[in-house]
């Protein structure tokens, strides 16, 4: 049986030593929002998810540290950024670590040595998901996307054109119209009326019957899908919109909310040139700003969005969350690389033992989506393309057979008959020309051989 990883460290490893004395000095941010991560009311009372992770890692630290006590110092964030707090590791000689919801970034690595991430993070966009009201007149067009409606209209015209072409030479009720315009009118009315009811017009051409069967099957399947989707919309009364992308957010040129002191401010300003920003200080401000349309969206890191959505009820959670815009994580910052390396090993052991996941579940940090709820779905071109492909294939096959039967084969037969006629004529000419030439030659030869007295 393999030994645990923590037992493989040598007993002669260099001990972990704080900067001053026998006390490990730890800076803890004082937060006014998302206190589930860290809450520091006074220097002797620090709590939260980050503190729990730090204490659990501290208990299994290898090699054993030399300090006998850990002192937490509350650092008010206020309007300052976390970067100023990280800079204390370089500006003060009595600070050993910064423990809190600190995101690892390239700029912060200059003045600190970070551990391995203990909580995956990343920047996402939170936007209101208003949906479509069932009182809105256009709700009956909602089951299909615009592209699907457009392809459906095109399919009606193509099917009507195919039926007209296949029935063009047949004496049916569809073709006994006094003019071409009237024929087209009857054909397209015939095709369109099948959308509502089966109209009984005589179809004689077998290929046209095959196209008509394909069209009826297409309408039955598409109509069933439309009915199911519309029922879902009217029942759920909620259409989930597509999450915003960062490019769409920048193009809107509207106010975007962010958590005060977060790394997100620099990300929006310098990387995506979003200037209209609004600082938000608590969870209530998140919900109020979105619902009152003070901001079009909120950009924040996943752990904070998880806590915000976990506080929403299923009926009141009408928000969409985008994909990760960045890949980052939370870590502890130290002034010394040996300390960060030792804590990284301890964090890995917590993750592998499953204790880290238990801590995340306990603080509701495992999910960053709204609670489960029924969602209605729209039929886009991708989900319904199979029906259009089958209808198009049926029309293409019938038109190809029709063209082959009425154009290619007759032209080939006519060409062959014309060839045979020319060949026959050439054969006749080849048969008679030599004989005619020989007869004329013989005639003149005989006239030349006569005696003068024999000539008349």
């Amino acid at each position: 049986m393999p030994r645990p990883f923590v037992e493989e460290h040598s007993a002669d490893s260099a001990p972990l030593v704080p900067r001053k004395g026998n006390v490990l000095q730890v800076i803890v941010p004082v937060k006014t929002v998302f206190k589930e991560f860290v809450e520091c009311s006074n220097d002797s009372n620090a709590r939260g998810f980050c503190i729990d992770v730090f204490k659990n890692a501290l208990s299994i630290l290898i090699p054993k540290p030399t300090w006998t006590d850990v002192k937490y110092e509350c650092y008010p964030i206020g309007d300052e950024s976390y970067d100023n707090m990280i800079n204390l590791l370089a500006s003060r000689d009595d600070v050993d670590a910064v423990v809190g919801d600190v995101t690892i970034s390239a700029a912060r690595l200059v003045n600190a040595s970070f551990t391995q991430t203990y909580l995956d993070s990343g920047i996402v966009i939170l936007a209101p998901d208003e949906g479509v009201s069932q009182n809105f007149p256009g709700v009956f067009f909602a089951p299909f996307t615009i592209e699907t409606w457009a392809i459906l209209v095109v399919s009606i015209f193509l099917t009507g054109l195919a039926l007209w072409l296949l029935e063009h030479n047949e004496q049916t009720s569809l073709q006994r119209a006094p003019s071409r315009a009237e024929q087209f009118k009857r054909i397209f009315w015939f095709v369109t009326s099948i959308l509502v009811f089966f109209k009984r017009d005589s179809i004689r051409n077998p290929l046209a019957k095959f196209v008509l069967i394909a069209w009826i099957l297409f309408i039955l399947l598409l109509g069933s899908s439309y009915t199911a989707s519309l029922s879902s919309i009217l029942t759920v009364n909620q259409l989930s919109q597509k999450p915003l992308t960062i490019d769409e957010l920048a193009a809107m040129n509207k106010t975007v909310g962010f958590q005060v002191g977060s790394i997100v401010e620099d990300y929006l300003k310098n990387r995506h040139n979003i200037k209209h920003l609004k600082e938000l200080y608590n969870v209530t401000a998140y919900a109020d700003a979105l619902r009152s349309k003070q901001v079009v969206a909120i950009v924040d890191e996943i752990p904070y969005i998880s806590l915000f959505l976990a506080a929403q009820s299923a009926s009141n959670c009408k928000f969409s969350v985008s994909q990760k815009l960045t890949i980052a994580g939370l870590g502890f910052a130290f002034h010394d690389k040996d300390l960060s390396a030792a804590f990284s090993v301890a964090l890995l052991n917590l993750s592998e033992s499953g204790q880290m996941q238990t801590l995340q579940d306990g603080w509701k940090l495992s999910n960053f989506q709204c609670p489960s709820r029924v969602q209605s779905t729209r039929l886009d071109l991708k989900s319904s393309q199979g029906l259009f492909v089958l209808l198009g294939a049926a029309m293409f096959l019938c038109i190809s057979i029709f063209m082959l039967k009425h154009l290619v084969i007759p032209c080939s037969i006519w060409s062959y008959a014309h060839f045979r006629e020319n060949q026959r004529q050439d054969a006749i000419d080849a048969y008679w020309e030599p004989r005619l030439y020989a007869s004329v030659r013989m005639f003149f030869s005989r006239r030349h051989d006569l005696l003068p007295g024999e000539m008349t």
Side-chain angles (χ1 to χ4, degrees), residues 440-452 454-455:
V440 172
R441 183 179 178 185
M442 184 179 296
F443 172 77
F444 281 104
S445 297
R446 290 180 60 190
R447 295 284 295 180
H448 180 73
D449 294 339
L450 291 175
L451 294 176
E454 296 175 345
M455 295 183 182

Side-chain angles (χ1 to χ4, degrees), residues 131-145 149 225-240 374-379:
V132 178
S133 171
Q134 65 181 20
N135 296 322
F136 178 60
V139 70
F140 293 101
F141 296 97
F144 292 161
T145 60
W149 282 114
S225 302
Y226 174 87
T227 303
S229 181
L230 183 61
S231 300
S232 173
I233 293 171
L234 296 177
T235 302
V236 179
N237 191 23
Q238 179 72 30
L239 280 177
S240 183
V374 180
Q375 295 284 349
S376 58
T377 55
R378 303 180 71 186
L379 294 178

Side-chain angles (χ1 to χ4, degrees), residues 123-125 246 249-250 254-259 262-278 297-300 325:
I123 297 175
V124 294
I125 301 173
I246 191 65
L249 195 62
K254 295 182 179 180
T255 304
V256 178
F258 71 97
Q259 182 188 166
S262 171
I263 195 175
V264 172
E265 182 178 9
D266 177 72
Y267 174 80
L268 294 176
K269 282 184 177 179
N270 299 330
R271 297 195 181 185
H272 295 283
N273 199 30
I274 299 177
K275 303 300 183 184
H276 303 290
L277 300 176
K278 181 179 178 60
I298 292 175
V299 181
D300 207 344
L325 305 179

Side-chain angles (χ1 to χ4, degrees), residues 11 13 24 27 47-48 51 131 137 163 178 183-184 186 190 199 252 256 291 327 329 338 369-370 404 417 420 453 455:
S13 300
L24 183 72
I27 297 293
R47 61 180 299 273
I51 303 299
L163 288 177
Q183 288 182 10
F184 278 108
R186 289 188 180 183
F190 170 70
K199 185 174 177 62
M252 286 181 178
V256 178
R291 292 183 177 124
I327 299 176
D338 292 335
Q369 298 290 343
C370 277
L404 182 67
R420 293 294 296 171
M455 295 183 182

